Structure formats: structure tokens, C-alpha cells
Amino acid sequence: MKYIVIGLGNFGLSLAEKLTKLGSEVIGVDNSMTKVEAVKEKISYAICLDATDEYTMGGLPWKDTDIVIIAIGEDTGANIMATAMVKKLHPNRIISRAITPIHETILEAMDVETIIHPEDESAERWAKKLSLKGMVDSFELSINYSIAEIAIPDKLVGKTIEQVGFRNNYNLVCVTIIKKIADKNMFGKVKRINQIQGVVNTDTVLESADILVIYGENEDIKRFIKQF
């Protein structure tokens, strides 16, 4: 996977470093040469430029990049400007950082699908979510065990919990299922919010838009994700 991380403050720097350690190619961008110098030996590439300037931003390898993360947190205006610039230049997935509820609403109005809140979520948690395709979220209970949210693989759609055999086939426990339901924000934009379905039964049928919440050893969770 190839990433561009814009904004190398505490969260952006930590995320860029952890993604690199997980084997991804990361380009870090910041307008502070001090921050760029501090990280250039720790990630794939570090570039000093103004993320709100279209001319300089146009030189980045957008088409070869899978995900762009706008991690700017000190300046809300710069974050919004950089997000708008990336929306114009980048054809793939965009993730942007929200500082306040109003800021988040603005990002939603800009059709930013993934919005992060670093004050509530760690860089390590996001690095795991991004580096494992299919993982929606995770929460470590210990060094070895986690609860993870997984997008349902296509091969399991239409099957029941019993037919999948989480315990016997994958050494995992399916805790519950999350469904996405439509909701509108103050601008009338439709967004999807999570609705937890409660304890699942053996005859519960998995649907394509569902999210699995599973529990088990980290290695078993990784094997389950990579298998599909």
C-alpha cells in the first residue's frame, strides 16, 4: 500500500512511522522543514511543501497513491483547504482529520467519507486499520487478543453464522453484527451511521453491507482477513 500523510504533527508523524513499520510506502508532507528533517530517516519520503498550494501539490504521485490522510490539526482552515485540494487531485480514498463538530460537518459536506478524531483514536489503531484490507476497526484487549470490526467478505454473504463456523474453522467468536443505516446531517447530506444488532444467533444471515464484530487472537484475525 502507498500513502501520503499531510501534516507531520504528533498524530501524522506517529501514523506515518507506524505505517512504514508495517511495510507500507509513505510520503510525509509538511510545510515545516524542521518536521520534515525530523522524519526523513523514519519513513519512505518526506517533503516540505504547502499543502494548500495547487501548483506544488500537483507534483505528488497521486495516481500511484492508494490513500491520502490529511492529518493537519493545528490550523482548521489549512486542513479544510488541503482537503479540498486533495479532493481535486486524488482519485482514490481520502481520510481527513476533524478538530471540532463544526469542522466535521464541513468535511461531511465536502463528501469526505472517512473522518478521524486523533484525540480519541491512536495512530497505532489507525495504522492497523489501514494496513489490513477489510478491517474496519480494532480494539486490543491485550498483547495477543483483540476485538475487530471486519467488512463481510463477499464469499460469506448469504451464509448463516452456523454455516461460516467461526469457532471451528477460524478459532474466532462472532460477537455481533453492525448494520449501516442512512441518516442526514444539518446540510441534508446523507451519511451512514452504525446500528449494532445485538447478540447474533446461529441462523443469522450475513448481508453484504454488514460489518462483523469478532473476537480472538490477533494472528487468527489476520489469517481470517487475508484468507478472503
Side-chain angles (χ1 to χ4, degrees):
M1 294 286 282
K2 296 182 180 180
Y3 300 86
I4 294 177
V5 178
I6 299 173
L8 298 175
N10 292 335
F11 177 74
L13 173 60
S14 181
L15 180 59
E17 289 181 358
K18 286 175 169 51
L19 285 170
T20 301
K21 288 179 181 178
L22 288 169
S24 297
E25 182 178 320
V26 181
I27 298 175
V29 174
D30 201 283
N31 62 0
S32 167
M33 182 57 75
T34 301
K35 292 179 179 179
V36 169
E37 287 292 325
V39 75
K40 69 179 183 179
E41 301 297 331
K42 301 176 181 178
I43 65 176
S44 309
Y45 306 98
I47 302 171
C48 183
L49 59 79
D50 181 0
T52 66
D53 182 84
E54 184 174 2
Y55 178 76
T56 55
M57 287 281 280
L60 294 176
W62 300 109
K63 291 184 179 180
D64 297 326
T65 301
D66 298 297
I67 300 175
V68 179
I69 302 110
I70 297 92
I72 299 170
E74 300 81 5
D75 187 337
T76 302
N79 175 293
I80 293 170
M81 288 291 291
T83 301
M85 195 67 62
V86 173
K87 288 280 290 182
K88 184 176 181 179
L89 297 167
H90 182 59
N92 297 321
R93 186 179 175 189
I94 297 171
I95 298 172
S96 191
R97 176 181 183 176
I99 310 302
T100 66
I102 293 176
H103 184 191
E104 181 172 6
T105 301
I106 293 170
L107 293 176
E108 288 174 353
M110 295 168 65
D111 291 325
V112 176
E113 293 183 4
T114 307
I115 301 171
I116 59 177
H117 306 84
E119 292 74 15
D120 302 322
E121 304 171 89
S122 70
E124 183 171 0
R125 185 178 178 186
W126 266 97
K128 288 181 179 178
K129 287 165 65 173
L130 293 171
S131 60
L132 280 176
K133 186 177 181 181
M135 181 174 285
V136 177
D137 203 351
S138 68
F139 177 75
E140 286 193 354
L141 299 177
S142 68
I143 295 176
N144 297 317
Y145 290 88
S146 296
I147 294 174
E149 295 178 11
I150 310 294
I152 290 184
D154 292 339
K155 291 184 179 180
L156 300 186
V157 173
K159 293 187 177 182
T160 64
I161 296 294
E162 185 176 22
Q163 288 173 330
V164 174
F166 287 96
R167 171 74 77 175
N168 295 331
N169 296 330
Y170 306 105
N171 196 32
L172 298 170
V173 175
C174 181
V175 180
T176 188
I177 291 173
I178 298 173
K179 291 186 180 292
K180 294 284 187 179
I181 61 173
D183 191 22
K184 289 185 179 181
N185 63 21
M186 61 186 292
F187 290 102
K189 286 279 185 179
V190 176
K191 66 175 182 178
R192 299 284 176 178
I193 61 174
N194 292 338
Q195 186 177 76
I196 297 173
Q197 299 303 295
V199 179
V200 296
N201 299 315
T202 56
D203 59 352
T204 298
V205 178
L206 303 180
E207 299 178 356
S208 60
D210 291 346
I211 296 172
L212 289 171
V213 181
I214 57 176
Y215 164 78
E217 288 194 43
N218 295 331
E219 291 305 314
D220 289 329
I221 293 172
K222 289 179 182 177
R223 276 193 289 270
F224 176 79
I225 293 173
K226 290 180 179 179
Q227 180 170 339
F228 298 100

